[in-house]
Amino acid sequence: MIVDLPAEILVAVAQNLEFHQDAFNLARCCRRIYSVLFPHIFTTIQSRCPCLGELSQIVHYIIQHPQCAINQTQFCSRMGSLKCEPATLLKALQTICHSEEEKLQWLNDLQDGMAYHPWVALLLVLLPRLQSLELKFEYSSTIEYTSEILDRAIRRQKPFDVQVPFPSLKEVRISWWDTQGGVDPSNALPFFCLPEMRRFYGHMIVGDISQEDNSLDLSSGFSNINEIDLKLSNCDTGFSYLVRACSRLESFSYLHADGIVGGPDGFNPQVFYPPLYCHRDSLRKLKLLFDRDAGHCYCGYPKEDLFFGSLAEFSVLTEIDLRSPNIMSWEDERKEVLKLPLTEILPSSVEILSLEDTSPSQLDSLVPQLEAVIRNKRTFFPSLSNLSIEGDFHKQPQINFREWSWGLVRPPRRVIEPEFIDRTQNLRVLCQAMDVDFCLWDRHCKEPKYRIYSRPIPDTTLQRR
């Protein structure tokens, strides 16, 4: 019987259940299982859609069993439906609210069941050991309560006048799950003020924060966050305020999107350089690309191919993932004469260099520059171990769309054209001689065997083909 299983097996079963409620139900089977699972299953809350009813039950359970809150380290919330016991909720609201009017309004919004943020804000106060938080916003989400709680945490106002605000919170993910629009980055600023915060992830973050718009008196370098990862986002100032807010940024990743998100059209890599330059002594990983999930098409925006800037002074930068046009420094728009060779642009600390969005016409100018880098590896780039070039290197297959749509034929596989393989032959030979892994690939050629490597692929499954 399950009750006789070893404790390790019971814990493994509970941790692999898809829904948190199932773990609750398993723990309530008997006294032994409850005593075994209690320290383990109350470490993560994941509330999936539809979840408002589940979220409200979790709040009630933690209020009635405060010992459970001690072990909570993660929380993931999404939209959903409701349980509401006024007496139980008022007990918690009494320790949070600043006035009787606020308490009654909050209770009314909880009972109303039209938004989940009043529940999320209440739960944030109830979880003192929270380490990971994920918030997903939609147009219908009212975030006033969550924002107010975070603002009070920064200002050390009730209930944080008697308890340290989020002393263990290290990771926050903010997402936007509508098809258009985006999250204002001001919603992220309070998390940058928390002392233990280290990683911030954003999905569809649009715009930036100006010092004039910021009600908090904060100077540059006030945040301990060292990793920023922004996907499907848009900003024409390079998220300057958020980047400068970090005292020691080690990783910055930005995937740009146009059209479906708010903000200005067009990608300008140069606006990211000044704020990131402030972290030239600490930045280890840099990624600036288009977000392929946004279905970006090359619309020829005038600034998207501008030179990002020299990375030579970024003394600890090891991973670079940029668009090929943004790492080439040309004298003028004709792109005939280089202002700086690539050997003077890359940092000596580089280990992994990934260049994407390479057009066939750019390959002729890029390959000689990369060959010079590889030749000077031992002198200037001793740690370089991986080089990859991505671009449109396939031949568009001829498809009979009528037959294809009827399922009569399978579309032909796209492969890299031999022309581009030949044009990188010398570079591949150099990489092999200098012990650098080289990969020429095309994202439209899905299978790994259509990537051209400088050495045999270790995957035995490819060899069996």
Side-chain angles (χ1 to χ4, degrees):
M1 295 191 49
I2 190 172
V3 69
D4 299 320
L5 290 174
E8 295 81 2
I9 301 297
L10 290 172
V11 171
V13 170
Q15 291 178 338
N16 283 277
L17 291 174
E18 182 179 2
F19 298 104
H20 205 257
Q21 186 62 42
D22 294 337
F24 276 120
N25 295 336
L26 177 61
R28 289 197 289 264
C29 286
C30 67
R31 292 179 182 273
R32 178 180 179 268
I33 295 180
Y34 184 86
S35 63
V36 170
L37 297 185
F38 181 84
H40 301 279
I41 66 173
F42 295 104
T43 59
T44 301
I45 296 178
Q46 291 182 334
S47 190
R48 293 176 172 84
C49 180
C51 78
L52 198 53
E54 182 182 350
L55 185 59
S56 61
Q57 292 195 25
I58 291 173
V59 170
H60 282 80
Y61 190 88
I62 290 181
I63 294 175
Q64 295 167 349
H65 302 82
Q67 70 274 21
C68 297
I70 297 176
N71 297 313
Q72 290 288 349
T73 60
Q74 299 182 41
F75 175 56
C76 169
S77 72
R78 298 185 185 177
M79 289 298 294
S81 68
L82 187 65
K83 172 182 178 182
C84 192
E85 297 178 359
T88 301
L89 297 173
L90 286 171
K91 177 182 177 182
L93 292 174
Q94 184 68 38
T95 64
I96 300 173
C97 297
H98 289 192
S99 66
E100 189 70 18
E101 180 181 358
E102 181 190 10
K103 181 175 68 174
L104 295 177
Q105 181 62 51
W106 199 328
L107 179 62
N108 181 68
D109 290 338
L110 292 171
Q111 293 173 322
D112 187 46
M114 297 301 293
Y116 79 110
H117 270 281
W119 293 97
V120 172
L122 181 56
L123 196 54
L124 288 179
V125 181
L126 298 174
L127 303 178
R129 292 182 58 186
L130 195 66
Q131 294 180 9
S132 176
L133 173 65
E134 182 176 349
L135 296 175
K136 305 181 187 300
F137 299 147
E138 293 187 8
Y139 284 117
S140 58
S141 298
T142 55
I143 61 174
E144 289 80 5
Y145 286 102
T146 303
S147 299
E148 181 63 27
I149 285 297
L150 294 172
D151 187 65
R152 291 178 184 180
I154 297 171
R155 302 178 188 277
R156 302 302 298 269
Q157 298 175 350
K158 182 182 178 181
F160 301 105
D161 54 342
V162 294
Q163 68 182 65
V164 179
F166 309 108
S168 302
L169 188 60
K170 292 180 171 59
E171 177 180 300
V172 169
R173 298 174 183 268
I174 292 182
S175 304
W176 180 268
W177 286 117
D178 215 323
T179 56
Q180 294 182 343
V183 181
D184 191 301
S186 61
N187 292 311
L189 184 60
F191 296 110
F192 277 67
C193 300
L194 300 178
E196 296 302 318
M197 271 289 297
R198 295 297 182 269
R199 296 174 294 278
F200 174 77
Y201 303 96
H203 176 269
M204 292 181 74
I205 311 298
V206 179
D208 202 354
I209 306 169
S210 67
Q211 186 63 52
E212 293 74 19
D213 297 334
N214 177 27
S215 60
L216 298 171
D217 184 17
L218 301 172
S219 57
S220 296
F222 64 83
S223 176
N224 290 326
I225 287 180
N226 55 33
E227 180 177 347
I228 298 178
D229 189 332
L230 305 171
K231 292 182 173 63
L232 210 66
S233 298
N234 189 312
C235 181
D236 60 356
T237 63
F239 289 100
S240 177
Y241 191 86
L242 293 182
V243 173
R244 293 178 187 274
C246 303
S247 60
R248 188 175 177 81
L249 189 63
E250 297 180 3
S251 175
F252 182 79
S253 175
Y254 172 76
L255 300 183
H256 178 83
D258 285 321
I260 67 169
V261 302
D265 288 333
F267 170 56
N268 183 0
Q270 287 188 343
V271 299
F272 291 87
Y273 188 80
L276 289 173
Y277 184 78
C278 298
H279 301 284
R280 60 191 179 277
D281 295 327
S282 61
L283 194 67
R284 297 181 179 274
K285 182 177 179 180
L286 173 63
K287 185 174 186 177
L288 288 176
L289 298 171
F290 287 121
D291 198 318
R292 296 295 176 172
D293 292 337
H296 175 84
C297 58
Y298 294 96
C299 299
Y301 291 115
K303 297 181 180 180
E304 66 183 26
D305 288 346
L306 292 178
F307 176 50
F308 169 71
S310 175
L311 299 171
E313 295 183 58
F314 287 69
S315 57
V316 296
L317 186 59
T318 59
E319 296 184 37
I320 302 172
D321 195 351
L322 296 175
R323 300 176 63 248
S324 290
N326 302 145
I327 204 167
M328 302 291 282
S329 175
W330 299 101
E331 287 282 0
D332 50 43
E333 295 181 358
R334 291 178 295 179
K335 299 183 180 180
E336 296 177 350
V337 180
L338 284 171
K339 185 183 298 184
L340 285 174
L342 199 53
T343 52
E344 297 182 18
I345 293 174
L346 296 177
S348 60
S349 56
V350 62
E351 297 177 6
I352 300 174
L353 177 60
S354 301
L355 302 177
E356 303 191 21
D357 293 341
T358 308
S359 67
S361 61
Q362 293 168 347
L363 196 61
D364 288 333
S365 56
L366 179 63
V367 168
Q369 292 296 310
L370 291 173
E371 289 176 353
V373 170
I374 300 302
R375 290 193 189 97
N376 289 277
K377 174 184 181 296
R378 292 192 177 95
T379 305
F380 298 114
F381 312 105
S383 301
L384 183 61
S385 60
N386 191 292
L387 170 63
S388 68
I389 305 175
E390 184 276 333
D392 292 322
F393 305 133
H394 68 281
K395 184 177 181 180
Q396 191 69 27
Q398 298 296 321
I399 301 175
N400 187 319
F401 286 97
R402 176 177 295 181
E403 293 180 353
W404 175 70
S405 62
W406 290 349
L408 300 178
V409 296
R410 295 180 62 183
R413 291 175 175 173
R414 295 174 175 177
V415 298
I416 296 177
E417 291 191 69
E419 171 194 353
F420 300 109
I421 299 175
D422 294 340
R423 287 159 66 178
T424 58
Q425 174 66 26
N426 291 337
L427 179 58
R428 294 202 310 276
V429 171
L430 276 173
C431 286
Q432 199 161 20
M434 292 293 183
D435 198 27
V436 176
D437 288 330
F438 174 78
C439 176
L440 180 74
W441 63 288
D442 186 324
R443 68 180 65 251
H444 298 99
C445 305
K446 300 297 183 183
E447 297 188 39
K449 69 178 180 179
Y450 294 129
R451 297 187 176 194
I452 308 302
Y453 294 85
S454 63
R455 56 184 61 187
I457 307 173
D459 190 347
T460 56
T461 60
L462 298 181
Q463 297 172 5
R464 288 197 296 269
R465 295 180 183 175

